[in-house]
Amino acid sequence: MMSQIDEKLEPIYREVLQRNPGEGEFHQAVREVLESIGPVLAKYPEFAEKKIIERLCEPERQIIFRVPWQDDQGCVHIHRGFRVEFNSALGPYKGGLRFHPSVYLGIIKFLGFEQIFKNALTGMPIGGAKGGSDFDPKGRSGDEIMRFCQSFMTELYRHIGEYTDVPAGDVGVGTREIGYLFGQYKRITNRYESGVLTGKGVDWGGSLVRPEATGYGAVFFLREMLKAGNDSLDGKTCVVSGSGNVAIYTMEKLHELGAKVVACSDSSGYVHDAAGIDLTLLKQIKEVERRRVSDYAQQREQARFVPRGNIWTIPCQVAMPSATQNELTGKDAATLLRNGCVAVVEGANMPTTPEGVRAFLESGIAYGPGKAANAGGVATSALEMQQNASRDAWTFEHTEARLAEIMQRIHALVQETAEQFGAPGNYVAGANIAGFIRVAKAMVALGLI
Ligand code: NAP
C-alpha cells in the first residue's frame, strides 16, 4: 500500500513515470518527496504556477559516456560513465561518484535527486548531482583501478570545475580513487584546482574529518533525535549494516559515545560479535588489506559470520543501515520493532523500502531518513571547498565541531518544519519539506531557466 500524493501532484508523478521508464529507484525517490510536499503548495502557490516541481524532476543536464580501459592482462573492457547534474539553484553541482556493477541511469538519478534536498538542508551553497559507473572495483589491482579512474576522468574533466560541478566519493570510490581522478584532472587541465573534487587526501588538499564525516554526522543526528525524546546513546546495543566508509565511522562514533555495535556486514553476509565490534581489527581488514568481513570472524574467536544472513534479525535498540538502497524491507522493519528497536537512522541513501518507512513512521520510534541524517558527508565536503578556496587547513577538532553544529542545525530545522506542517516527529516530511522550500525559493528567484 502506497501513501497518498496530493491530487495536484499526481499528474506530475504520472509524467515522471512515463518520461523515465524502467528507473524504479528514481520513481521511488521522487514519490517519497511528492508524498511530503502537498501542504507546501497551499502555502506557496507560486511554486505550482512556476512549475517548480516539474522542473526539479528533470535534471538540468545528463551526461553518459564510454569508459574504455585495459586490465593487467591487456584485455580491453568497456564501461559506461554517468554524471547527472540535477540542480544548481543553490550552488555548483555537488554529489559523489559511485563505482558498482549495479549502477545504471536510474540509480544515478535517484541519488542525484535526493542530493538536491540533502544539500539544501545543510544550508550551504551547493546544488545537487551524482555520477559513477557500472565498473566493479572488487578484485581489481591498484594499477587497474588507476587506469580506470584515468579513463573516466579523461571524459569527465570537461564537464566539471570548482564553480561548475564538484564530485566526491561514494560506494566504491574512496581517497585512493579520488587521488587518481584528481591526478588525471590536473594533468589534462594543467591546473592544481583543489576545489574541483572533494574527499582528497589531507596531504594534497583534503580536509581532516572528511573520511569520518558521514558516519560521525549520522551518529550526531541520532544523538539529537534521542535527546529530543529524553533518551541517550549510553549503553545502547546497535546494529550497523555495511562495513565501508560510512559504516566504519558510524561504529567508531557510536563506541565513542557509549553505545555498543554488535553486528556489521558486507554483501556476502554479516558478522555478529556480542562483545562489540573490534574496530582496530575491522579497519585493518577493510581499509588496509581490503578484504571481507568474513575474515573478521576468522580472527575473533567469539565472533560469528553468517553467509548471506539478514543482519536485521539481530536484536538491537538502534539500527543504522549504512550499506545500500532498499536493504531494509517492511518485513525487516517489523522484526526490528518486535525486537525492541527504538531508533533507526540512515547512513546510506534510501536504504529503507517504502513499506519499511511506513512501519517506522506508524510505530512512532525515532526514524531519521538518510537525506537529513547522512548530510554530514557532503557538508564536510563543502567545508573542504571552503578550506581550498582560502588555501587553509583546519584542525580536526575545529572541523569536527563544525560538523556537529551543522548536524544539530539540520536536526532542529527538520524537527521544526515537521511540526510547522502538522506532522510532529515525522522527520521524512520535515526533511523533504525543508529541503524543498529552500531550493524552490532559489529557483523562483533565478527565473525560468
Ligand atoms: P563503501 O565504502 O563502498 O561501502 C559500501 C558498503 O556497503 C560495503 O560494505 C559493501 O559491501 C556494502 N554494499 C554496497 N553495495 C551493496 C549491495 N548492493 N548489497 C549489499 N551490500 C552492499 O561505500 P560508502 O561510502 O560507505 O557508502 C554506503 C552508503 O552510504 C551508500 O548508500 C552511499 O550512497 C551512502 N552515502 C555515502 C556517503 C559518503 O560520504 N561516502 C555520504 C552519504 C551517503 P561489499 O564490499 O561486499 O560490496
Side-chain angles (χ1 to χ4, degrees), residues 114 117-119 121-122 212-225 246 250 319-322 344-351 366-379 403 406-408 410-411 414 427-428 431-432:
E114 290 224 317
F117 306 97
K118 180 189 310 191
N119 293 4
L121 286 174
T122 67
E212 294 86 354
T214 308
Y216 280 20
V219 178
F220 291 146
F221 194 88
L222 164 69
R223 183 173 58 178
E224 293 303 306
M225 287 193 85
V246 177
T250 294
M320 297 192 69
S322 307
V344 176
V345 168
E346 298 178 342
N349 287 312
M350 207 169 75
Y367 170 60
K371 218 174 267 153
N374 72 34
V378 74
L403 168 65
I406 291 167
M407 296 314 296
Q408 268 171 1
I410 296 175
H411 175 270
V414 169
Y427 283 60
V428 175
N432 287 333

Side-chain angles (χ1 to χ4, degrees), residues 50-291:
K50 296 186 188 304
K51 296 226 182 317
I52 294 296
I53 299 146
E54 290 88 331
R55 281 155 62 188
L56 261 170
C57 292
E58 184 67 24
E60 289 176 11
R61 191 176 296 115
Q62 308 186 56
I63 302 148
I64 303 182
F65 51 99
R66 184 175 66 195
V67 190
W69 66 283
Q70 251 178 324
D71 68 21
D72 289 344
Q73 283 70 46
C75 203
V76 171
H77 299 263
I78 309 296
H79 283 278
R80 191 169 284 176
F82 301 91
R83 187 70 182 166
V84 175
E85 298 178 334
F86 229 113
N87 192 291
S88 60
L90 292 172
Y93 306 107
K94 184 90 198 82
L97 299 171
R98 174 177 293 194
F99 292 168
H100 192 272
S102 64
V103 164
Y104 77 106
L105 187 58
I107 293 272
I108 301 298
K109 278 167 70 178
F110 116 65
L111 290 163
F113 184 74
E114 290 224 317
Q115 196 82 44
I116 305 170
F117 306 97
K118 180 189 310 191
N119 293 4
L121 286 174
T122 67
M124 293 162 125
I126 41 181
K130 201 80 186 189
S133 174
D134 54 3
F135 170 69
D136 187 358
K138 238 179 250 140
R140 289 293 174 195
S141 70
D143 286 347
E144 290 177 323
I145 299 283
M146 181 176 73
R147 284 196 294 276
F148 179 81
C149 289
Q150 290 177 339
S151 180
F152 187 84
M153 184 52 83
T154 301
E155 172 60 31
L156 188 69
Y157 89 94
R158 71 189 79 244
H159 306 289
I160 61 176
E162 188 179 351
Y163 297 103
T164 312
D165 182 358
V166 184
D170 189 71
V171 172
V173 179
T175 312
R176 173 181 64 168
E177 291 73 20
I178 293 292
Y180 296 143
L181 292 163
F182 182 64
Q184 185 73 348
Y185 182 86
K186 185 175 80 64
R187 183 186 194 189
I188 295 172
T189 60
N190 195 31
R191 282 165 64 88
Y192 205 106
E193 189 185 333
S194 300
V196 71
L197 286 168
T198 58
K200 301 182 292 296
V202 279
D203 295 327
W204 38 278
S207 172
L208 287 167
V209 191
R210 180 59 190 90
E212 294 86 354
T214 308
Y216 280 20
V219 178
F220 291 146
F221 194 88
L222 164 69
R223 183 173 58 178
E224 293 303 306
M225 287 193 85
L226 291 174
K227 215 194 284 173
N230 292 319
D231 199 352
S232 83
L233 270 167
D234 207 28
K236 291 269 186 304
T237 300
C238 311
V239 164
V240 177
S241 63
S243 51
N245 172 264
V246 177
I248 284 178
Y249 292 99
T250 294
M251 294 188 246
E252 184 165 279
K253 192 47 84 180
L254 283 169
H255 283 178
E256 240 178 84
L257 296 181
K260 182 164 80 169
V261 182
V262 296
C264 67
S265 62
D266 63 21
S267 56
S268 63
Y270 71 80
V271 279
H272 184 204
D273 186 344
I277 297 285
D278 175 344
L279 271 176
T280 311
L281 175 60
L282 186 70
K283 280 187 185 177
Q284 175 67 23
I285 290 170
K286 299 303 291 189
E287 294 187 333
V288 181
E289 297 164 17
R290 296 179 187 274
R291 284 160 45 216

